[in-house]
Amino acid sequence: MRTIGNAAKAAFKVLSNGIKKAKHKAEKLVSGFGNKKKDASDSAEKSEGISFPVRSGIGDSEDCPQDYKDLLVEKPFKDPVFIEMGQDPDLISAEFRKIGKDVLFLYDIDDTLYHPSNNLQKMERKFLEEKYLSFKKDGTLETFKEELSLSLLYSSLFYNYVGISLEEYWEMLSEFDYLQYLSPDVNLRNFLLSMKNIRRCCFTNGPRDRAENILAKLGVLDCFEVVISIGKYDKTFCCKPLIKSYEFVTKVLGIESPGNVYFFDDSEINIIKAREFGWNGELITRDHNIIDVSSRILQEINEDARSLHFQKVSAVPSSKMPSN
């Protein structure tokens, strides 16, 4: 059950603090303006040339739209922190600001941040089905489907049912060029950067290098704070929809208000488990666009925040209301 109210309170608190900080900065800027002209000039000179870190030369590609290239140099962001599941959360020392009670938009990557119409997942599955049949002489597409449902991950399927090592599996999968199905998404990048006071992270059943490459190819790598992925050589195969994966994310990110987490995924079972865990789950299907779904949630949060604000104003006793 979605708890928009909690998210609204968090958003309203951030908004109020933001206004106070902005006012303080403005007063400080005005009072010290006379002494800061030279410093500002020096800072401007040092800021020249700052740009987004871009993977794989995406920004230099001839196929890259000019408006996307322009967008890449608008605002400097750092790359996300990558964390692999299968570890002891207490031993992870990654440096980032914990989520706490903030509103968090948590995104799956495959068939969520990009639309399934590009056929990446379809062609990857076909590639793996063919490999499965070549390895397992008595295997069929039906046994592939059954064993995958038990394994949850392709890597687990090949490790447990085909009998190859994880090293051999990832070497085999490297033959499949998944990046050929993707292209920079200017609209997605622009939308993600437009979200203010909303924390953004990724939670994927892919390994780190795949997640990093896909986010970079889409042009949104630096739009996320943290990316949580499977461990490439983790033989516990910690992944969605296992409850331990949601527990891992909660502990590592320092989530204190599950109701303020909005999780977007293309898998129904992953969404069901997320809701059971107390998160808000949004199922992304072929009929959905991730920008539209995210925008709808943002609107609901903002409307509830405004409603909360007016309720607080209305609750002020008339004797304490300012007179005209």
Side-chain angles (χ1 to χ4, degrees), residues 29-77:
L29 180 62
V30 171
S31 63
F33 181 72
N35 297 324
K36 298 295 183 180
K37 287 184 178 179
K38 186 177 184 301
D39 292 342
S41 177
D42 293 341
S43 297
E45 292 178 3
K46 292 179 181 179
S47 298
E48 290 182 1
I50 292 179
S51 61
F52 285 114
V54 182
R55 293 288 184 272
S56 306
I58 294 173
D60 300 325
S61 171
E62 294 180 358
D63 298 329
C64 183
Q66 183 58 46
D67 54 350
Y68 175 76
K69 292 181 179 179
D70 294 339
L71 193 58
L72 284 176
V73 295
E74 278 190 7
K75 306 172 186 176
F77 279 81

Side-chain angles (χ1 to χ4, degrees), residues 111-112 264-267 282-286 288-290 293:
D111 280 359
T112 297
F264 306 83
D265 199 295
D266 65 300
S267 167
E282 293 294 329
L283 180 63
I284 306 301
T285 69
R286 295 184 68 90
H288 291 141
N289 177 287
I290 190 60
V293 177

Side-chain angles (χ1 to χ4, degrees), residues 227-287:
V227 175
I228 296 179
S229 66
I230 63 168
K232 204 167 187 178
Y233 303 104
D234 168 34
K235 293 183 180 179
T236 69
F237 299 104
C238 181
C239 65
K240 298 174 288 185
L242 299 178
I243 196 66
K244 63 181 179 180
S245 69
Y246 298 90
E247 293 172 342
F248 181 89
V249 171
T250 297
K251 191 161 189 177
V252 167
L253 294 184
I255 296 171
E256 297 178 13
S257 296
N260 284 351
V261 177
Y262 295 83
F263 178 51
F264 306 83
D265 199 295
D266 65 300
S267 167
E268 185 173 9
I269 185 60
N270 291 349
I271 291 298
I272 290 174
K273 292 300 181 180
R275 289 172 179 167
E276 290 178 358
F277 200 67
W279 296 355
N280 301 288
E282 293 294 329
L283 180 63
I284 306 301
T285 69
R286 295 184 68 90
D287 298 327

